[in-house]
Amino acid sequence: MLRTLSIENYALIRQLKIKPVSSLNIITGETGAGKSIMLGALGLLLGKRAESKVVFDESKKCIIEGIFDVKAYQLKPLFEEYDLDYEEECIIRREISATGKSRAFINDTPTTLDALKAIGLRLMDIHSQHETLALGNNSYQLQIIDIVAGNFELLSKYQEAFKDFKEKQRIHRDLIEEGSQITKEADYHQFLFDELDTAQLQADEQEELEEELSKLEHAEEIKAKLNEALMISDQAEFNASGMIQELKSTISAISSFGKSYEALRERLESLQIELKDIIAELEDEDSKVEVDPQRTEECQDRLSLIYKLQQKHQVGSIAELLEIYEELGNKVLRVSNLDEAIEEAAKAETEAFERANKLAKELSKVRTKVFDQFTKSIKSHLAELGMPNASLEVRRTESELTLTGNDTIEILFSANKGIAPSPLKQAASGGEFSRLMFAVKYILADKTALPTIVFDEIDTGISGEIAIKMAQMMRKMSESHQVITITHLPQIAARGSAHYFVYKDESTSTTSSQIRLLNQEDRLKEIAEMIGGKNPSTTAYESAKELIELP
């Protein structure tokens, strides 16, 4: 539940802080003083988008912070899903700059509006005029029936099956579309594949061929230079081999006279051995080199084919050509296996549909079972709220599978005797709608684990004994839920466990909204003023006292 709400620099509010009690909290005040502004601030904590115009003083940030006690609501998995630290005392904060830039935090960790919405939905239910209008929406009516039926687990199971069906359906359709495209290109892909297949390309062959061709095209020059090297190193009258041998012999004669001479002799001996190896390798290379016009032409033709294929496929290496070859092979193979793949995908789609459809029928069955219970309960509460002749009917029509099943739910309502129920969008006046919405909320309160329920003037259009009954029902709801009610009725205000008064502060150059917790004396005065105006009579005070003392 909400432990503390702090609002700073928001709309008409310079700074405001309240600590609601765990039961029934009443908020009253002057018209236009800012009662509903607090709801806007709460909405921002629950993930609604912010606008720059909400900033009171543009030189400062707007900061809204709510501290919630969440230990009883098993929210740890939800926090983990959004990678947030879980604390039994959860702090949600929104910061808004004058430019409209907004930041959100949960337990001091930056987070997204999606995370705020997901967690906020589990913390607070804010009734507003917008939600009253939503009651006429078929999807909202279906949500009501599901809550009454306790369908959370079954609906979740169905939605998983439905998503699986839609995924299987997508795969099937994509395959059909892909098959149509592949079939059009099949002959061309086959031609390209056959061309590469005939080429029988090898991964390293381009580099090897280019090196071999270079040698073949310069064979005469290479052979001449190898022979010249052999002549210099071993065959000429004054060759390198003989000179090194003579040099080694000269140094050997003095090698016994010092270590440095011996080291020089060893180095010359190593040089002689290395030169012999070089001469042997030169002779071997010379034996390999030959002018071969036929092999030269073969290399040129093969490289020409490789270059042509690379140009055709707009690549620069055989490795890339081999990748294309593999891709083309898969496409050619896919064409031959396409019918089988489409058939398997169609079967998977049908099986997924049957699973989802079976669960949808189970959902419908459970929903239909609670129609009578729901309508009887609503009519009973409406009778208590001064509408004894109200009639209610829940009508179901079957639809295609959607994320919520195959049911379209429509609640029909009539407030008057002898008038057939009609769709909610056209059936109720403002006051009747408010009472109907309250009766729905009263029933849903027992079915949900929401810590906090907020009512924004749900008492519109009612008065007298009906208002007293609504107040008693709110009091009953507050035994298991924290209830915050913005009201203009003294009958409801008198039932609160805590009473807050919102007023305009005009003591400075800029008007601002303030709130204060009323003590017993102030509370009696406020309720008396709600009954008798700004200067209440003794009778108004007596009526206020009587309302406060009602059981």
Side-chain angles (χ1 to χ4, degrees), residues 398-430:
E398 190 166 325
S399 64
E400 292 184 0
L401 292 188
T402 67
L403 192 60
T404 54
N406 65 347
D407 298 317
T408 296
I409 295 295
E410 186 168 39
I411 296 176
L412 308 177
F413 175 74
S414 171
N416 303 303
K417 188 175 182 179
I419 304 297
S422 58
L424 285 177
K425 294 175 185 176
Q426 51 193 261
S429 67

